[in-house]
Amino acid sequence: DAGVIQSPRHEVTEMGQEVTLRCKPISGHDYLFWYRQTMMRGLELLIYFNNNVPIDDSGMPEDRFSAKMPNASFSTLKIQPSEPRDSAVYFCASSLTGASYEQYFGPGTRLTVT
Amino acid sequence: AQRVTQPEKLLSVFKGAPVELKCNYSYSGSPELFWYVQYSRQRLQLLLRHISRESIKGFTADLNKGETSFHLKKPFAQEEDSAMYYCALDTDKLIFGTGTRLQVFP
């Protein structure tokens, strides 16, 4: 298994543009998590899904952010419109059970908004 | 409020020196704490859990409820320990600290 797959690995965009980040969880994992990593705030949970249903989106910073999981093998995190302060590394993780620590992380997407 | 604090952004030591990465938490319930590590160009991965009380790669961490701390320690640092370390608190989701970058010089 290739583990959690994220694309793109790097994204550079201009302020105001729409950005879509993609994640493919490990097959069979029922939980999917989106995190944002910044120098100032470290790793923050944005949202997580269980069986494709969003369970907790309290970490989503504002309405510009949205996440979907149309099926068990794919999720997107969209930012529209993007702003320079959104620049960060975005991680996706998946887990088989609800035990939070048993998460497998993807390689991350480094987003730069200019 | 549920919170994890890692006061040091960067910790630099020489090979063979002892290492202690600090972590303090704030949580009203019974805490479950973890250390995660991210080596250069690798994925974030679980290093150890407090509940298992094991030593991984020479690292140990003891939960001190009185001081609300879960510091990560290693008696003799190695160059390959250089990485980003995150302390995390498990509530109904993982709450991470801001991370400490450990640099071990030869």
Side-chain angles (χ1 to χ4, degrees), chain B residues 23 25-26 31 33 39 47 55 57 61 64 68 73 82 85 95 106:
Chain B
C23 172
Y25 66 92
S26 174
L33 288 144
Y39 301 102
L47 179 63
S55 172
K57 299 184 179 182
N64 186 323
T68 60
K73 300 177 184 179
S82 296
Y85 291 81
I95 298 173

Side-chain angles (χ1 to χ4, degrees), chain B residues 47-62 72-75:
Chain B
L47 179 63
L48 56 79
R49 309 167 56 192
H50 93 268
I51 200 168
S52 61
R53 304 181 70 84
E54 57 191 343
S55 172
I56 304 292
K57 299 184 179 182
F59 285 98
T60 59
D62 291 321
L72 184 67
K73 300 177 184 179
K74 186 169 183 176

Side-chain angles (χ1 to χ4, degrees), chain A residues 2-5 35 37 39-43 45 48 56 58 91 100-103 105-107, chain B residues 9 32 34 36 38 42-46 49 84 86 90-99:
Chain A
V4 175
I5 299 172
Y35 290 90
Q37 182 188 46
M39 284 288 290
M40 290 301 297
R41 301 171 69 92
L43 265 173
L45 177 66
Y48 80 92
D56 184 347
S58 59
F91 288 99
S100 299
Y101 66 91
E102 289 182 328
Q103 295 179 31
F105 284 79
Chain B
K9 284 202 175 298
E32 286 195 53
F34 309 88
Y36 285 78
Q38 186 177 23
Q42 293 188 29
R43 304 178 185 213
L44 187 69
Q45 57 187 289
L46 179 66
R49 309 167 56 192
M84 192 76 179
Y86 288 95
D90 190 6
T91 58
D92 59 345
K93 55 190 177 185
L94 279 178
I95 298 173
F96 286 89
T98 50

Side-chain angles (χ1 to χ4, degrees), chain A:
Chain A
D1 196 332
V4 175
I5 299 172
Q6 290 186 248
S7 65
R9 294 294 307 277
H10 302 273
E11 176 78 39
V12 180
T13 190
E14 291 183 347
M15 181 174 64
Q17 296 298 306
E18 178 179 295
V19 175
T20 299
L21 312 180
R22 297 172 177 79
C23 174
K24 179 180 176 4
I26 293 172
S27 177
H29 281 193
D30 291 334
Y31 290 80
L32 184 139
F33 306 81
W34 281 102
Y35 290 90
R36 179 172 65 177
Q37 182 188 46
T38 62
M39 284 288 290
M40 290 301 297
R41 301 171 69 92
L43 265 173
E44 302 173 280
L45 177 66
L46 300 177
I47 185 172
Y48 80 92
F49 295 83
N50 179 20
N51 290 320
N52 314 335
V53 176
I55 303 300
D56 184 347
D57 66 353
S58 59
M60 296 286 264
E62 48 196 276
D63 292 345
R64 297 185 298 106
F65 286 69
S66 63
K68 294 182 180 179
M69 193 165 185
N71 57 62
S73 60
F74 183 66
S75 176
T76 60
L77 178 67
K78 186 177 294 185
I79 309 173
Q80 166 63 19
S82 59
E83 296 182 3
R85 60 192 168 118
D86 301 330
S87 297
V89 180
Y90 291 82
F91 288 99
C92 177
S94 71
S95 69
L96 183 62
T97 71
S100 299
Y101 66 91
E102 289 182 328
Q103 295 179 31
Y104 293 83
F105 284 79
T109 295
R110 182 174 295 278
L111 173 65
T112 303
V113 184
T114 60

